[in-house]
Structure formats: C-alpha cells, structure tokens
Amino acid sequence: MPLRREPTLRQRRLGTEMRKMREQAGFGGSQLARSLGLAPTQVTQMETGKIGVSAERLRTVAAACSCSNAPLIDALAEMAVERRKGWWEEYRGAVSSDLLDLAELEDTATRLVAYTITFVPGLLQTDAYAASVFARAIPPLPQHEVDVRMDFRMKRQQIIRPNGVPYRAFIHEAALRMQFSGPKVLAEQLEALIRHSETPEVSIRAVPFDIESLPGPSENFIYAEGPVPELDSVQIDTTHNSLILDSPAPLASYREILDRMASVALSEEESRDFIRQIKKEIESKHG
C-alpha cells in the first residue's frame, strides 16, 4: 500500500486516537504490532495517517487495547470508512495546509463555537471586511493570493447556511470596533452581524470592555465539537500560523473558558442592541 504524502486532518486524527488507545493500554508500538500480527512500521504508519485504516482494523486495535468506550469506537469507525473528498481539496497547493485543516475541521464539526478579540470571526465576515483583513497581512500578499483566500473564505462560510452547522460566536468589543478599511466597511460588517444573529443557526454574544476580567486567552480560537466529546478540537490563531489541539487537558481548559465566557457575555438580544449602538456611534462620528 503506497504511503500518503499529505494525510488529511481526519486521517491524522484517526491515527492520533489509535495512538492514544495504545498508550492508555500501556503498549509500545512493537507490542501492539505483535498482537495484531503486523510489522512495527505498520503501526507507526497507521498512527501517523500514512496508510489507511479500515473500520474492522480500527475495532481490532480497540479490542487489543481493551478500549471499552463504545461511542468513541463507533465514531472512529465512521471516520475510518469516510472516503468523501472535501471541497477544500480543490485548493490544495493554492492555500496553506492550516487553512485546509480549518475548513475540514469546520465541515466535520457538529457545532462550532468561536471567540475573537481582534477581528470579526471569518465565517461572519463580509467580502469587503475580509478583503481588508487579507490586505493587511505582513508580509503583504500578492493580489492573486488575496483573491484565492477570499474565494476560499466565502466557500467556508457556507457551513453556516440554513440548516448548516450550529454556530456560536463570542466577539469582544475590541473586535467590534477595530477598523481594517475605514468606518463604512466596519458599519456594513456590523449590520451583517446583526442579520446573522437573527438566523436560527447563528448565536452572537458580545463581550464588552467593562467586564471585570476577561475569562480567557488573548488569542482568537474556534472550538469544534465532534460526534463524541473525545473527538472535539480547538483551533487557535497564532502570529504566523494556527494550531489544532485535541488532547484532553487543553480541551477541558477551553470548555471551561467558554463556560466562563457565557457567564459574562451579553445575551443575544443585548448583543444586538450593543452592536447597533456601536454602528450608530461610528456612523454619527464619521458621517
């Protein structure tokens, strides 16, 4: 079987979960390989997503590792039989692997929760706002790369279309006031947020400056819920790239952050009024 050059996010996650099973059982790779009648290199290749794993093989590994978490095993078996090619694969080589992973993460989530402190979440950005964000990249992006990223961003946004993935966004006041391309673009973006917030798929809650303390990190992140809690993921924006975390400890930490965020953020109706007020201030100040 030929090795995959670039395993997808799903393939890598399947391998990661198999490695977790092995480690929780206290097995080394060679020990598991012997129990399965495989070469140690095959176990390594499965755990890195370099070779495919059937649902039957996945269940065999789970049994060998004495994993009794039936919901997790069933969810992983579904991942193993998934062969659908995602729309984002059309962009492989045209956008970064980080963006491909993000699109796949969003597409396979059962619910998405975003928190942003520097800009409006990407899935809620207008064309003009998104273009202004891309235009301010350092180093500057060539126009053709901006165009590709714009097209990719707009396709990502289809995930929250009617009857799409439920989407919840906590947006800090700093992001609501940040101007990337002048007051007109920001006012249009704020109006778009209000419209989004009135749809059943989208919940938007504002986090104002005057809360006593910010219950979370200073970076933007997306929490993607999987079919079972063990398959949740967190995507974090950093200065030069993005990270996707799936270990139990950081997942528990970010769940707590979101719980605390929900306790201090404005309600959905209060948030709409808050966003309307900011939009009104911007329009009255800049005419």
Side-chain angles (χ1 to χ4, degrees):
M1 180 182 295
L3 298 183
R4 296 168 175 147
R5 290 193 305 169
E6 296 183 76
T8 66
L9 179 68
R10 175 188 63 81
Q11 292 161 349
R12 298 198 307 272
R13 183 62 183 273
L14 183 60
T16 295
E17 294 302 319
M18 293 172 65
R19 175 181 54 77
K20 289 178 184 177
M21 284 185 188
R22 174 178 60 76
E23 292 175 345
Q24 288 170 2
F27 293 161
S30 297
Q31 186 177 358
L32 179 60
R34 284 195 300 272
S35 68
L36 297 176
L38 301 174
T41 54
Q42 288 177 285
V43 172
T44 300
Q45 290 163 354
M46 287 192 300
E47 292 182 352
T48 55
K50 292 292 187 178
I51 60 174
V53 178
S54 67
E56 180 181 5
R57 174 58 58 82
L58 181 280
R59 293 185 185 278
T60 299
V61 170
C65 295
S66 300
C67 178
S68 59
N69 188 336
L72 173 61
I73 294 170
D74 289 343
L76 292 173
E78 287 293 320
M79 289 174 62
V81 300
E82 174 64 64
R83 293 292 183 270
R84 175 176 60 91
K85 185 176 181 180
W87 63 264
W88 51 89
E89 290 296 335
E90 300 174 10
Y91 290 82
R92 190 167 293 279
V95 300
S96 69
S97 59
D98 288 345
L99 289 176
L100 297 175
D101 286 349
L102 177 57
E104 184 173 3
L105 184 69
E106 292 167 343
D107 186 79
T108 56
T110 59
R111 187 174 78 142
L112 294 165
V113 186
Y115 169 69
T116 57
I117 195 169
T118 54
F119 50 74
V120 169
L123 295 184
L124 302 176
Q125 291 179 4
T126 64
D127 290 6
Y129 186 97
S132 66
V133 171
F134 291 141
R136 280 157 176 72
I138 297 176
L141 297 172
Q143 186 57 46
H144 72 275
E145 287 194 30
V146 173
D147 293 341
V148 170
R149 291 196 183 198
M150 279 288 298
D151 186 58
F152 189 81
R153 171 72 52 90
M154 296 306 118
K155 287 193 176 179
R156 277 181 53 211
Q157 291 183 351
Q158 294 179 20
I159 197 69
I160 57 171
R161 63 190 180 282
N163 300 316
V165 176
Y167 184 76
R168 186 181 188 187
F170 293 100
I171 309 177
H172 196 275
E173 184 177 350
L176 294 172
R177 293 185 179 277
M178 192 78 70
Q179 294 188 30
F180 287 96
S181 191
K184 183 175 183 295
V185 169
L186 179 57
E188 291 173 350
Q189 175 63 75
L190 296 178
E191 181 61 33
L193 286 180
I194 294 169
R195 292 196 303 271
H196 276 298
S197 73
E198 294 170 339
T199 64
E201 295 81 20
V202 177
S203 168
I204 295 177
R205 297 183 61 187
V207 183
F209 282 129
D210 60 5
I211 63 171
E212 291 185 4
S213 63
L214 184 64
S218 59
E219 70 266 6
N220 307 314
F221 69 87
I222 297 172
Y223 192 99
E225 295 183 4
V228 293
E230 293 88 347
L231 295 180
D232 290 358
S233 302
V234 176
Q235 183 269 341
I236 304 171
D237 281 337
T238 67
T239 302
H240 299 293
N241 55 17
S242 71
L243 301 174
I244 293 180
L245 308 178
D246 54 34
S247 298
L251 289 179
S253 176
Y254 277 90
R255 288 189 194 108
E256 182 178 352
I257 288 169
L258 290 173
D259 287 343
R260 294 172 60 195
M261 200 77 69
S263 71
V264 300
L266 301 178
S267 69
E268 293 182 25
E269 187 57 44
E270 290 171 334
S271 295
R272 275 190 286 272
D273 291 341
F274 187 69
I275 294 170
R276 288 190 185 100
Q277 181 59 38
I278 294 176
K279 178 175 179 285
K280 183 177 178 180
E281 291 175 15
I282 291 169
E283 290 174 331
S284 62
K285 181 177 180 179
H286 297 279

